Amino acid sequence: MRPNVWTRTLVSVSAVIGLAAGSLATAGTSFAAPDTQPAVSSEVSVLAVNNLGLSAAEAKKVQGWLKQYWGYTGAIDGQLGTNSWKAFQRCLKEYWGYTGAIDGIVGSGTIKALQRLLQHYGYTGAIDGIAGSGTKAAFKNFANSR
């Protein structure tokens, strides 16, 4: 019975060493591939949903308003995604100085125009295109007024 224990132990240790060696060999080849993308990008990533600090309930209010006035046809789901922001950009282009594409991307141009609108909802900060705490607080005021 004693040799059987040694045999199992030896087989188990061999299997672990084999797996480790295989993993290291694979890791070595995976790191050898050239990196074609920069480690740091200056581009702003596009989020599928960007509620700018709104709760789902608050975002639903905004979506209802966008549906009523700005051609939003998506679900009232509390997730301000690309189509919600396209509708919002139509409003911002019409009245608040947005000059970018109607692409649903919440970039600095969208935020600057939003900040202009939000001056009527308590925003007192700079029109700087940065969605900081003041922008988010005023956006909550806007949403809750819908």
Side-chain angles (χ1 to χ4, degrees):
M1 188 145 144
R2 194 89 167 131
N4 196 13
V5 172
W6 285 110
T7 303
R8 278 192 238 153
T9 303
L10 184 58
V11 169
S12 297
V13 170
S14 297
V16 169
I17 291 172
L19 288 172
S23 296
L24 289 174
T26 304
T29 59
S30 69
F31 287 111
D35 187 4
T36 58
Q37 294 192 1
V40 177
S41 172
S42 62
E43 293 182 30
V44 175
S45 66
V46 179
L47 297 176
V49 173
N50 192 342
N51 281 14
L52 290 182
L54 297 185
S55 68
E58 291 165 333
K60 284 179 181 181
K61 293 176 186 180
V62 171
Q63 287 175 317
W65 176 77
L66 292 170
K67 185 173 223 120
Q68 185 174 0
Y69 296 106
W70 295 102
Y72 175 65
T73 58
I76 306 294
D77 59 4
Q79 304 293 308
L80 298 180
T82 303
N83 289 328
S84 296
W85 283 104
K86 283 181 179 180
F88 218 129
Q89 286 171 331
R90 286 191 285 277
C91 166
L92 297 172
K93 186 168 233 154
E94 181 78 23
Y95 294 109
W96 304 103
Y98 177 67
T99 58
I102 305 298
D103 56 10
I105 297 171
V106 187
S108 64
T110 300
I111 299 299
K112 284 180 182 179
L114 180 63
Q115 287 170 329
R116 288 185 199 97
L117 177 148
L118 294 177
Q119 287 176 322
H120 298 280
Y121 296 89
Y123 181 68
T124 59
I127 306 299
D128 58 7
I130 299 169
S133 59
T135 301
K136 290 177 181 178
F139 195 40
K140 280 185 174 288
N141 290 341
F142 171 83
N144 288 317
S145 73
R146 304 291 110 209

